[in-house]
Amino acid sequence: MPDIPLGVLDLVPIPSGSTAADALHNSIDLAQHAERFGYARYWFAEHHLNPGVAGTSPAVVLALTASATSTIRLGSGAVQLGHRTALSTVEEFGLIDALHPGRFDLGLGRSGGRPPGQPTPAPATATPVVDGRAANGLLIPPRFSFERLLGSPRIALQRKLLLLPGAGSQDYAEQIDDILALLAGTYRSPEGVEAHAVPGEGADVEVWILGSSGGQSAEAAGARGLRFAANYHVSPATVLEAVDGYRAFFQPSDFLDKPYVSVSADVVVAEDEETARELGTGYAAWVRSIRTAEGAIEYPTPEQARAFEWSEEDRELVRDRVDTQFVGSPGQVADRLLQLQEATGADELLITTITHDHAARVRSYELLAQEWSRR
């Protein structure tokens, strides 16, 4: 087995019957456990206007978590640049790096509320897919259309509330360049005026680009020689396109001499498959709430999830995500993660696990870490 590090991606989920404060305490506790279990990274996602997700500001949660841990790398998966400036992003991460130097990953992503720009043509997927499977059997489901989400009133309201009146988002690639220049201390305005972010300039952060396709994000990461994180758990249909596109665009840089990829997966592990599937019962209902654009609901108990009424349209809406969630015993899940790594050529894997019960969530990560270390 290749030496593939595992990381954690945390959305700071709010289980039904609990509060945002409970979710934050749970996430910090999980990060402390993940550090002891041997996970390489712990990343926080950014989401807004979701009743069941408390991860609204990665930098703030990272600062809190850094004070409660000591060695594990911490990062954003990802800062949504559609409603931030390059300077505010560099200053936020410069602040936390000043107190905890050398521990942070600055993961950058386009926000869901950003109006679509001119798409970058994605290179043809080099990895063959036949009958919905990669050559090694990894499931590559049909592509899901996000148009319904992008056109929803809730997403429009999110954009309105996150941007100042009359403001527009900077071009994504330009924004990445400005961030890199501010970190390096080489920023110059078009008029030749220097800007120096204090703190921020010289911060020892590792920059990553997150993307779900082989288009603009893959090009931005590859052309600048940055690390790239692809999402099997968000968009399993396009994960091969994403990693192939990134590698096709890659140019060696001061950061990397060859491509470096992390791939995410949704996972639930328990001592046996039956228990794991019971713990994962709420997942389909939770995904449905996201894909109907109502916003992620508080994560339901198995009993609550079984009480939901489902139409065939609902089932089709979440089928790709449910079918590509890795649920089972430690051995079963490790086998599927190895299959994902082999199909994508990932250098790292990023694990996201949500269960209603916090202790079961911690145990899932513990069992996986134990199995991974044995292989």
Side-chain angles (χ1 to χ4, degrees):
M1 170 181 167
D3 183 17
I4 305 296
L6 298 182
V8 176
L9 176 62
D10 187 357
L11 278 64
V12 196
I14 304 173
S16 64
S18 65
T19 66
D22 294 329
L24 288 164
H25 285 297
N26 288 344
S27 288
I28 293 172
D29 179 69
L30 180 58
Q32 292 172 323
H33 279 93
E35 184 172 72
R36 291 194 290 272
F37 298 157
Y39 284 87
R41 306 177 192 272
Y42 199 103
W43 285 7
F44 289 100
E46 177 183 345
H47 296 284
H48 300 277
L49 299 183
N50 287 277
V53 172
T56 56
S57 175
V60 173
V61 186
L62 287 169
L64 298 170
T65 308
S67 297
T69 56
S70 57
T71 58
I72 193 169
R73 289 195 67 88
L74 303 170
S76 54
V79 169
Q80 295 182 0
L81 291 184
H83 49 81
R84 280 192 174 84
T85 66
L87 179 59
S88 66
T89 301
V90 170
E91 287 178 337
E92 285 179 347
F93 276 75
L95 279 168
I96 55 178
D97 177 75
L99 286 180
H100 307 278
R103 290 186 60 197
F104 293 102
D105 302 323
L106 174 52
L108 306 173
R110 301 173 78 249
S111 65
R114 176 193 290 269
Q118 190 68 24
T120 300
T125 299
T127 307
V129 176
V130 179
D131 295 331
R133 299 276 177 177
N136 71 344
L138 179 73
L139 178 61
I140 304 296
R143 187 183 297 255
F144 175 78
S145 173
F146 289 90
E147 288 186 10
R148 177 176 178 178
L149 285 173
L150 295 178
S152 76
R154 188 182 69 84
I155 295 298
L157 176 61
Q158 172 181 305
R159 180 172 173 79
K160 178 181 178 181
L161 292 175
L162 288 170
L163 284 174
L164 292 172
S169 299
Q170 185 182 6
D171 177 79
Y172 183 53
E174 290 179 3
Q175 201 168 9
I176 292 171
D177 287 337
D178 286 352
I179 287 171
L180 296 175
L182 287 165
L183 287 170
T186 59
Y187 180 88
R188 303 291 184 276
S189 73
E191 298 75 28
V193 180
E194 298 182 8
H196 298 280
V198 180
E201 185 174 310
D204 187 12
V205 298
E206 198 170 88
V207 178
W208 289 71
I209 305 299
L210 278 73
S212 296
S213 73
Q216 186 179 24
S217 295
E219 181 188 27
R224 290 158 182 79
L226 299 172
R227 293 166 176 83
F228 184 67
N231 298 315
Y232 186 65
H233 85 283
V234 171
S235 183
T238 57
V239 67
L240 298 180
E241 170 195 317
V243 297
D244 288 347
Y246 164 67
R247 293 187 178 109
F249 285 123
F250 186 83
Q251 297 291 325
S253 68
D254 291 340
F255 307 107
L256 294 172
D257 59 2
K258 61 182 180 180
Y260 194 91
V261 174
S262 174
V263 176
S264 62
D266 258 312
V267 163
V268 178
V269 182
E271 281 79 0
D272 57 77
E273 182 178 2
E274 182 180 1
T275 303
R277 294 207 172 276
E278 176 69 6
L279 292 172
T281 304
Y283 182 73
W286 185 77
V287 172
R288 182 178 69 172
S289 69
I290 297 169
R291 287 196 163 175
T292 55
E294 66 179 279
I297 59 173
E298 294 181 352
Y299 200 83
T301 65
E303 294 76 20
Q304 289 170 332
R306 281 191 284 268
F308 279 94
E309 294 184 2
W310 285 80
S311 67
E312 187 54 39
E313 182 183 8
D314 289 333
R315 293 187 180 90
E316 193 59 33
L317 190 67
V318 303
R319 191 180 309 279
D320 64 323
R321 292 283 299 271
V322 172
D323 288 349
T324 55
Q325 187 188 31
F326 300 163
V327 182
S329 67
Q332 289 173 316
V333 171
D335 286 346
R336 295 190 69 184
L337 286 171
L338 284 173
Q339 185 184 52
L340 175 64
Q341 186 280 325
E342 180 184 46
T344 60
D347 300 283
E348 299 189 18
L349 295 172
L350 195 61
I351 309 303
T352 180
T353 296
I354 304 178
T355 61
H356 184 273
D357 180 67
H358 176 62
R361 188 175 179 221
V362 173
R363 181 62 173 157
S364 177
Y365 279 107
E366 180 180 22
L367 289 170
L368 179 60
Q370 290 172 349
E371 177 67 21
W372 204 250
S373 67
R374 283 195 288 264
R375 297 204 173 201

